[in-house]
C-alpha cells in the first residue's frame, strides 16, 4: 500500500515535469521568434542579407534540434501507446532533430562564408560541433542496438543505462552550446553598441527558457524510473 | 552469475569515470591558472588593479565552487569508508564549495564597483546567481533532511532521488554558468582586439575541460546505481 502511494506521487510530479518542459520549450520558441523577427530582421536561408541567413542558425538549433531532441527523450512519457510505438516516435523525433541540426549548422557556415569570417574559433563552435557529432553517433548506435539490425536482449539491456545517461549528457551539452551561442551574440552586439537593454533582456529570458526546458526534460527522464 | 558479471563491468567503468573526472578537473585548474597568471596579470582580491580582482572570480568559481561540488558528488565513490563518513565528506565538500562561491561572487561585484559597471545584466550573471541561490537552498534542505535535525527514514528515502537529480541539474547549471562566463570574457576581449589566437584557444580548452569534468562527474553519479 505504501509503495502505491509513493509511486502515485512520483507519477504526478513526473507529469508536472513534462508539462513544465513543454511550457518552457514553447516559451523559448516564442521569445526567440520575437527576437529574430522584431529585433534582428527575420530569417531567410537564401537571402543576400547575411544577418537573415545567420538567424536561421539559432532558430533551427533550438526549435529543430534541441526542442525535438527533448520531445524524443520525453516520448516514453508523453506518447500514450505501446512501447514499440513510443520507440519509433523516439527515433523519428531524434531524426527530425538531426536533420534540422544539419541545416542549422550549414546556415552559420554560409554566414561565415558571406562575411569572410573564420570557422570554428569560438568555444561555442567547439562545443556545438562536438555535441552534434556525438549526437549523430548516439543516434546511429541507438538505431543499431534497439531498432535495426537490433542487438540481443541481453546486450540491449546492458546498453540502456549508457544510452540514457549519454543522451541526458548530450542534452545538457546542447543546452551549453545554445547558451554560449546566445552569450557570444549578445556580448558582441553589446560591445558594438548594437544592443538595447530591452533586447538584451529578451535574449537573456530566451536563454533562461532554453535552460529550464533542458532541466525539466532531464528531470522528467531522470525521475521516470520512479513512476 | 549473470548479474555479477554485469555489475563488475559497470563497476570498472564507473571507476574509470571518476578517474576521468579528476583528470579533466585538474586539467581545467591548470589551464585556468596558466590563463590568469600568464595572460591576465594574476589574481589578488585586495589589489588596486581591478583586472586582478576580477581574476579571482573565474578561479574561485571553478576551483572553489564547481570542482569541490563535483568532488562532493563523487564522495560516495571515492571515499573508501563507512557510509556515514562519506556523508560527512559529501556535506563538508559542498560547504567548502558554498563558501568559495560566496567569495568568488563578491570578487566580481567588487570588480563592477571599481569600474562603475552595472550588475546582473548578462545571461551569465542571471544563470550564475540563480544557480548559486538554488545550490544554497539544496545544501540547507540536504543538511536538514540527512544530517540535522534529520527527517524520518521514510521521508529521507523519498527525498533521495529528488536530491540526486536536483544536484545533478545544479552541476550542469553551474557548468552552463562557467561556459557562458568564459564565452562572455573571450568575446569581449576579442571584439576589443585584446585577445591573441593562442589565448582564445587556451580559454576554449579550459572551457572544454570544465565541460568534460561536469560530464564525467555526472556519469559517475548517474551510473553509480549499477555498481
Amino acid at each position: 500500500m505504501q509503495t502505491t502511494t509513493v509511486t502515485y506521487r512520483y507519477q504526478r510530479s513526473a507529469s508536472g515535469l513534462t508539462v513544465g518542459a513543454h511550457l518552457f520549450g514553447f516559451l523559448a520558441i516564442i521569445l526567440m521568434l520575437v527576437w529574430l523577427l522584431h529585433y534582428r530582421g527575420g530569417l531567410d536561408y537564401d537571402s543576400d542579407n547575411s544577418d537573415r541567413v545567420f538567424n536561421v542558425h539559432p532558430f533551427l538549433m533550438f526549435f529543430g534540434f534541441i526542442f525535438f531532441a527533448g520531445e524524443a527523450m520525453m516520448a516514453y512519457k508523453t506518447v500514450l501507446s505501446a512501447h514499440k510505438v513510443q520507440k519509433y516516435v523516439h527515433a523519428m523525433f531524434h531524426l527530425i532533430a538531426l536533420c534540422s541540426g544539419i541545416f542549422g549548422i550549414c546556415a552559420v557556415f554560409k554566414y561565415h562564408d558571406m562575411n569572410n569570417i573564420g570557422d570554428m574559433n569560438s568555444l561555442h563552435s567547439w562545443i556545438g560541433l562536438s555535441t552534434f557529432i556525438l549526437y549523430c553517433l548516439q543516434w546511429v548506435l541507438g538505431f543499431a542496438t534497439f531498432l535495426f539490425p537490433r542487438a540481443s536482449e541481453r546486450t540491449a539491456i546492458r546498453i540502456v543505462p549508457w544510452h540514457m545517461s549519454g543522451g541526458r549528457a548530450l542534452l545538457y551539452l546542447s543546452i551549453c552550446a545554445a547558451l554560449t551561442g546566445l552569450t557570444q551574440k549578445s556580448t558582441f552586439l553589446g560591445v558594438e553598441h548594437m544592443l538595447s537593454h530591452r533586447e538584451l533582456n529578451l535574449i537573456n529570458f530566451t536563454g533562461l527558457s532554453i535552460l529550464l526546458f533542458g532541466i525539466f526534460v532531464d528531470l522528467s527522464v531522470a525521475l521516470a524510473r520512479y513512476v
Side-chain angles (χ1 to χ4, degrees), chain A residues 206-220:
Chain A
T206 309
L208 274 194
S209 306
I210 291 175
L211 184 57
L212 286 166
F213 171 74
I215 289 171
F216 273 80
V217 170
D218 179 57
L219 288 182
S220 79

Side-chain angles (χ1 to χ4, degrees), chain A residues 67-125:
Chain A
F67 183 76
F68 271 96
E71 286 296 328
M73 288 172 75
M74 294 189 295
Y76 292 100
K77 300 200 63 61
T78 52
V79 178
L80 303 172
S81 191
H83 182 72
K84 206 173 174 179
V85 177
Q86 292 176 326
K87 199 155 80 169
Y88 283 118
V89 173
H90 176 79
M92 184 65 124
F93 274 180
H94 272 310
L95 188 62
I96 295 173
L98 202 151
C99 296
S100 308
I102 292 171
F103 281 106
I105 292 170
C106 285
V108 80
F109 275 98
K110 189 178 174 189
Y111 167 77
H112 285 178
D113 277 350
M114 289 170 89
N115 292 284
N116 288 319
I117 301 171
D119 299 316
M120 302 305 299
N121 286 322
S122 64
L123 181 57
H124 164 67
S125 63

Side-chain angles (χ1 to χ4, degrees), chain A residues 1-209:
Chain A
M1 193 58 201
Q2 185 48 42
T3 317
T4 320
T5 320
V6 173
T7 308
Y8 173 66
R9 290 206 179 148
Y10 278 122
Q11 194 151 28
R12 264 202 319 194
S13 317
S15 314
L17 292 171
T18 55
V19 171
H22 282 102
L23 196 77
F24 286 112
F26 287 120
L27 186 64
I29 295 167
I30 293 167
L31 291 176
M32 187 176 273
L33 278 177
V34 172
W35 174 47
L36 297 175
L37 296 174
H38 180 71
Y39 288 96
R40 293 281 128 216
L43 312 84
D44 184 1
Y45 192 90
D46 296 317
S47 173
D48 292 329
N49 178 343
S50 65
D51 288 332
R52 287 166 63 89
V53 176
F54 173 84
N55 293 342
V56 173
H57 174 68
F59 182 70
L60 276 188
M61 295 322 281
F62 180 68
F63 176 59
F65 180 53
I66 298 178
F67 183 76
F68 271 96
E71 286 296 328
M73 288 172 75
M74 294 189 295
Y76 292 100
K77 300 200 63 61
T78 52
V79 178
L80 303 172
S81 191
H83 182 72
K84 206 173 174 179
V85 177
Q86 292 176 326
K87 199 155 80 169
Y88 283 118
V89 173
H90 176 79
M92 184 65 124
F93 274 180
H94 272 310
L95 188 62
I96 295 173
L98 202 151
C99 296
S100 308
I102 292 171
F103 281 106
I105 292 170
C106 285
V108 80
F109 275 98
K110 189 178 174 189
Y111 167 77
H112 285 178
D113 277 350
M114 289 170 89
N115 292 284
N116 288 319
I117 301 171
D119 299 316
M120 302 305 299
N121 286 322
S122 64
L123 181 57
H124 164 67
S125 63
W126 289 23
I127 297 172
L129 201 63
S130 323
T131 303
F132 193 71
I133 292 168
L134 290 172
Y135 182 84
C136 295
L137 280 175
Q138 164 97 338
W139 192 87
V140 171
L141 279 174
F143 193 88
T145 312
F146 305 109
L147 284 174
F148 185 80
R150 245 188 118 151
S152 69
E153 198 69 19
R154 204 182 120 197
T155 313
I157 287 171
R158 234 187 239 173
I159 289 177
V160 161
W162 291 90
H163 181 75
M164 279 184 70
S165 297
R168 289 173 60 199
L170 281 170
L171 174 74
Y172 274 113
L173 276 170
S174 60
I175 300 290
C176 285
L179 299 181
T180 49
L182 286 176
T183 300
Q184 188 177 320
K185 192 72 184 175
S186 66
T187 308
F188 177 81
L189 293 173
V191 180
E192 298 280 4
H193 306 290
M194 287 152 62
L195 186 73
S196 66
H197 199 72
R198 199 175 280 184
E199 186 181 348
L200 177 62
N201 279 342
L202 181 63
I203 297 176
N204 291 355
F205 276 116
T206 309
L208 274 194
S209 306

